[in-house]
Structures are given as structure tokens and as C-alpha cells.
Amino acid sequence: MNENLPACPRCSGAYTYEMGALLVCPECGHEWSPAASGEPAGGPGEQVVRDAVGNVLADGDTVTVVKALKVKGSPSGIKAGTKVRNIRLVDGVDGHDIDCRIDGFGAMQLKSSVVKKA
């Protein structure tokens, strides 16, 4: 667990953890956004994107897809274990925050929750 996470604003519990873009208190079940608690999200104007296991991603990283993904208009999807090189972090639509090019599929956007830093 990360020791830099703030205490729960509802019950002041110290065992908070991250779940996607939210912070969660296991003692009272309260969920809140880090921006609402006043916690900086990595500095002014800087976005922090984390992969499925919590590693911080940066432009140019190589990632591995951790689960099979269906691709609209393609009979086969992207298999788990596919390596994606030279990613770019973007403010995408519906949580798609990685812009990349995948061999055999072309340019597409992925969610950071389905990749792991390689």
C-alpha cells in the first residue's frame, strides 16, 4: 500500500487504497476522488496514469496487454500478452488514456487498466 494516501474524509481511517481513479476506505466503504480531497494528482497540469498493477506509465514506455480484448470489426481480438511499444498518454474518451499502434491492428486507444508496464 502507498503510505502517501490521505486518510478517509468520512471516518479518518488510515487504510485507504486506490481502485482505479478513486480512493476507497475499507473500514466504512466510502469512495472518493483524489481531486476532491485536495491531493495533487502529480503536480500542476500533469496527469498520472497507472497500469493495471499500479506502475506509473510515461510516454514512450512499452506495455503488455493483460487480458484479451475484442476489437470492433475484427474477427480476432488482441490477445493477452501482446506487447505494445512506444505508447503516448492522452486525455481520451471513456477512460482510453493510451494512444498506440498495435501490429496487425493499426492505431488505437487503450485503457491503462488493461495493460502492464513491460
Side-chain angles (χ1 to χ4, degrees), residues 75-91:
S76 65
I78 299 170
K79 295 180 182 178
T82 302
K83 286 204 180 228
V84 180
R85 293 177 181 81
N86 198 18
I87 65 169
R88 283 187 314 137
L89 302 178
V90 295
D91 282 334

Side-chain angles (χ1 to χ4, degrees), residues 65 67-80 82 96 100 102-110 114:
V65 177
K67 70 180 217 174
L69 302 172
K70 293 181 181 177
V71 177
K72 200 181 237 184
S74 172
S76 65
I78 299 170
K79 295 180 182 178
T82 302
H96 294 84
C100 62
I102 299 177
D103 293 337
F105 291 96
M108 63 177 39
Q109 290 187 341
L110 298 173
V114 298

